[in-house]
């Protein structure tokens, strides 16, 4: 059970995107081979243009995972009426390797926040088997909860998120 000091609760990932869950595997998200994602840390959009490496620890040769990256703050965090925007889906990630060995069913789309500070959430789901996951019809108004239910994924087994906001010329320095 998640604690009140859990960054996923404080950052409202639990609640806005998924219901409470227990992490059972370790997921590491790394951009450009040196920028690891930590809950609630800020990354510049210019540093996350290329899809990250996702490493899963705690799986085995028979386990497979689905990864979802979503932005629940569209168009802006004060009024996210278009919640959520889908950025990436990879399925059939073997439990003993990383996302480069999975099947990308929705290509990576780099974060482009326009208004305010957005959360970009990575959620990992354990599949019951190798399975065909149906891609959503649109990236807009995506629902992680509905997608997981429709594809029989169950609750997440790991999650991490970072914050990003629009870069101005002064911020890029």
């Amino acid at each position: 059970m998640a604690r009140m000091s859990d960054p996923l609760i404080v950052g409202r990932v639990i609640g806005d995107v998924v219901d409470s869950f227990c992490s059972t595997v370790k997921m590491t998200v790394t951009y450009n081979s040196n920028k690891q994602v930590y809950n609630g840390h800020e990354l510049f959009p210019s540093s996350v243009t290329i899809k990250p490496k996702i490493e899963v620890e705690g799986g085995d040769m028979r386990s497979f995972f689905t990864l979802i990256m979503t932005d629940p703050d569209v168009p802006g965090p004060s009024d996210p009426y278009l919640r959520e925007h889908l950025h990436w889906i990879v399925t059939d990630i073997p439990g003993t390797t990383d996302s480069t060995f999975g099947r990308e069913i929705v290509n990576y789309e780099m974060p482009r926040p326009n208004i305010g500070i957005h959360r970009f959430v990575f959620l990992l789901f354990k599949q019951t088997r190798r399975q065909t996951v149906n891609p959503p019809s649109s990236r807009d108004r995506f629902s992680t909860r509905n997608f997981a239910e429709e594809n029989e994924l169950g609750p997440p087994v790991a999650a991490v998120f970072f914050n990003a906001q629009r870069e101005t010329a002064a911020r890029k320095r």
Side-chain angles (χ1 to χ4, degrees):
M1 191 64 161
R3 298 180 320 273
M4 291 309 284
S5 62
D6 184 327
L8 296 173
I9 292 175
V10 174
R12 295 182 340 273
V13 170
I14 292 176
D16 288 352
V17 182
V18 292
D19 297 324
S20 188
F21 68 95
C22 292
S23 292
T24 56
V25 299
K26 182 180 179 197
M27 174 177 61
T28 305
V29 179
T30 309
Y31 280 96
N32 306 318
S33 72
N34 65 354
K35 287 200 182 304
Q36 186 172 336
V37 174
Y38 294 100
N39 283 322
H41 288 206
E42 183 175 6
L43 295 176
F44 292 119
S46 61
S47 69
V48 295
T49 58
I50 299 170
K51 63 184 167 187
K53 180 178 181 179
I54 311 295
E55 294 178 278
V56 178
E57 294 176 33
D60 58 38
M61 298 283 282
R62 296 179 310 270
S63 55
F64 293 93
F65 296 90
T66 293
L67 173 80
I68 296 172
M69 178 186 177
T70 184
D71 174 357
D73 298 316
V74 179
S78 62
D79 187 18
Y81 65 90
L82 296 175
R83 171 180 297 161
E84 303 164 43
H85 182 80
L86 177 64
H87 282 268
W88 196 26
I89 297 179
V90 182
T91 64
D92 292 336
I93 301 168
T96 56
T97 187
D98 62 53
S99 61
T100 57
F101 292 94
R103 191 168 61 90
E104 193 173 57
I105 65 165
V106 175
N107 295 337
Y108 180 78
E109 178 181 274
M110 68 177 269
R112 289 189 189 103
N114 284 326
I115 303 166
I117 299 171
H118 289 237
R119 296 165 292 166
F120 293 90
V121 183
F122 294 90
L123 296 145
L124 191 69
F125 295 85
K126 186 172 183 181
Q127 299 171 201
T128 54
R129 64 197 177 289
R130 269 189 183 250
Q131 64 192 76
T132 302
V133 173
N134 300 314
S137 57
S138 172
R139 290 180 185 261
D140 297 322
R141 298 184 189 262
F142 179 77
S143 168
T144 299
R145 283 183 181 95
N146 291 347
F147 182 83
E149 185 178 320
E150 290 164 8
N151 289 283
E152 300 174 1
L153 295 174
V157 294
V160 66
F161 77 101
F162 69 90
N163 295 319
Q165 59 186 313
R166 185 175 177 185
E167 288 179 82
T168 62
R171 288 195 54 158
K172 288 182 182 181
R173 286 187 205 150

